[in-house]
Amino acid sequence: VAYFHKNVSDQKLVAKFDNICRQWEGLKAGNPSPSFNAPDINGKMVSLSSLKGKYVYIDVWATWCGPCRGELPYMTKLEEQYAGKDIHFVSLSCDSNKSAWEKRVQKGDMKGIQLHLGTNSDFMQKYIINGIPRFILLDREGKIVKADAPRPSDPQTTKLFDELLKK
């Protein structure tokens, strides 16, 4: 940051840089998470605040995303492994084509809480999500544990969950 400020004199660039830095600061562990309010497959609105009391593992994904689809079997395994434990598994679809998301969810093989966020998401902007899949882990009070959590396929994920669930 100091190097940037020392070497860049264009005030518009400095302002943009400082804004991005403030955004990243807001995503530090322990800070309250940006919120969301999105419909499930039945149209029921689900908000982040309604999930308080358990850890929340969020998968931001889309049906057209190959790496996202590649993580789905691992997500299912995690959900089965931690069924009945103190953790919600939430999949937030950023599909612009809601019917593609509905069709995928209606297959019935996806567990957890399935929500359609769409493309114009304040939640995604606040988390500076420029690529998917993106995984986010929140504590029982909705505070950030990891703004860029490991993927379900990463063995570190179960280690992280086991450590947190001991608390």
Side-chain angles (χ1 to χ4, degrees):
V1 172
Y3 180 83
F4 183 88
H5 282 274
K6 180 181 174 187
N7 293 289
V8 177
S9 58
D10 182 327
Q11 288 308 304
K12 286 183 182 178
L13 288 176
V14 169
K16 187 174 183 176
F17 177 79
D18 288 344
N19 185 47
I20 291 169
C21 289
R22 277 191 296 280
Q23 251 184 301
W24 277 113
E25 283 292 314
L27 298 177
K28 280 186 174 178
N31 286 345
S33 173
S35 192
F36 62 78
N37 192 30
D40 68 10
I41 194 70
N42 300 311
K44 178 185 171 204
M45 297 303 284
V46 177
S47 66
L48 178 58
S49 62
S50 71
L51 302 173
K52 283 188 180 176
K54 290 187 176 188
Y55 288 97
V56 180
Y57 185 62
I58 299 170
D59 172 11
V60 181
W61 75 290
T63 59
W64 50 262
C65 169
C68 299
R69 291 191 313 269
E71 289 295 325
L72 291 178
Y74 296 99
M75 182 67 118
T76 299
K77 279 184 183 178
L78 273 181
E79 291 166 341
E80 289 169 356
Q81 183 177 348
Y82 291 93
K85 304 281 183 179
D86 200 18
I87 187 165
H88 289 296
F89 291 88
V90 179
S91 294
L92 292 175
S93 167
C94 60
D95 274 284
S96 59
N97 181 348
K98 189 175 181 186
S99 63
W101 167 77
E102 289 169 338
K103 191 176 184 180
R104 180 62 187 91
V105 171
Q106 288 167 343
K107 279 186 173 180
D109 61 334
M110 295 173 71
K111 300 182 183 312
I113 301 167
Q114 301 298 321
L115 304 175
H116 183 258
L117 199 57
T119 55
N120 286 334
S121 166
D122 189 49
F123 180 81
M124 288 181 63
Q125 289 173 8
K126 288 185 177 173
Y127 267 101
I128 317 170
I129 297 176
N130 298 315
I132 54 174
R134 171 77 172 272
F135 298 89
I136 300 165
L137 182 60
L138 308 177
D139 71 11
R140 294 177 178 106
E141 292 149 21
K143 293 181 181 173
I144 299 167
V145 174
K146 287 195 172 278
D148 195 6
R151 293 176 177 214
S153 60
D154 185 334
Q156 292 302 314
T157 305
T158 55
K159 290 177 185 175
L160 177 61
F161 287 177
D162 291 344
E163 196 60 39
L164 289 172
L165 292 170
K166 286 179 188 175
K167 295 179 183 180

